[in-house]
Amino acid sequence: MPSDFLTITKTVTKYSWSELRQALDEWQLAEEYDDLIGDYQRISHQLINDAPSLDSPTLEVIAGIPYAGKSHYIKAHCCDLGKVSLSFDSIMSELSLYKKLHNRCTQAAFHRSETLAQMVGYQILNDCIAKRCSVLFEHSSAPEAHIDLYLVLQKQGYQVEMTFLDCSIEQARLRAKTDNKNRDNQRYTPEIYIEQRYHALQNRLTEYRRYFDVTVRQQDDTDGN
């Protein structure tokens, strides 16, 4: 099991934050470097600047497939007072590249910005760890690497708690067909992610339960997306 935060997150993004220039060169986005650094600095400051440093911080993970209702659940049920509220989707919507592309094509904006948002998001999570801030983390938690990621935080003194929003593939697909244009800022998510992440999470859930405090909540048609 990898024991280093940066090694673990690199398995998801392919490049570490220190390799950002190399990543942008490969993706033919070299001209976006200064804007992306500026975006990261601005978002990190906004999220972390006023968050308290704690002896025993908490990582509260809200997990589930796309359209399970993670954002809606957080708004309705979670108190982020004293916590950094971290969502890679929200970070994506704040990136300069995403904003430039979004008005022309939401799908292109998503596909060009997704990994960049992940890189910025993981770096901000790393900043949170360095300051020992509590974090409210909205993430599918489908990547296998996140088991190791949460274990690393646990070893560093974080109390890791997860709320898993259990939503069927059929229910999520129905929401995708009817609500894709009505999500936050017309946020696009590929429908193929629904089935991929559903099956991944079915495999991960047993391991998450082995290591962490996991609460499973069944989602119904009133729970939003």
Side-chain angles (χ1 to χ4, degrees), residues 5-6 9-10 13-24 33 35-41 44 91 95 115-124 126-127:
F5 177 94
L6 297 179
T9 56
K10 186 175 176 178
T13 60
K14 185 180 177 181
Y15 291 102
S16 66
W17 184 248
S18 63
E19 299 168 326
L20 179 61
R21 282 192 185 276
Q22 182 182 347
L24 292 174
Y33 179 82
D35 281 347
L36 193 63
I37 292 295
D39 291 337
Y40 154 68
Q41 292 172 340
S44 183
I91 287 172
L95 297 183
T115 303
L116 295 178
Q118 292 171 345
M119 292 179 72
V120 171
Y122 284 129
Q123 183 60 24
I124 292 175
N126 198 30
D127 294 342

Side-chain angles (χ1 to χ4, degrees), residues 46-64:
Q46 289 173 348
L47 292 177
I48 299 177
N49 190 56
D50 295 329
S53 300
L54 302 171
D55 292 332
S56 301
T58 299
L59 177 71
E60 181 180 357
V61 182
I62 309 301

Side-chain angles (χ1 to χ4, degrees), residues 2 21 50 52 63 87 102 105 111 113 125 135 143-144 150-151 154 157 170 175 180 191 212 215 220:
R21 282 192 185 276
D50 295 329
S87 162
H102 183 262
C105 179
H111 289 297
S113 305
L125 180 58
V135 180
E144 185 176 6
Y150 301 154
L151 284 170
Q154 190 178 68
E170 294 74 17
R175 290 178 180 176
N180 225 345
E191 277 193 56
F212 313 115
T215 300
D220 60 37

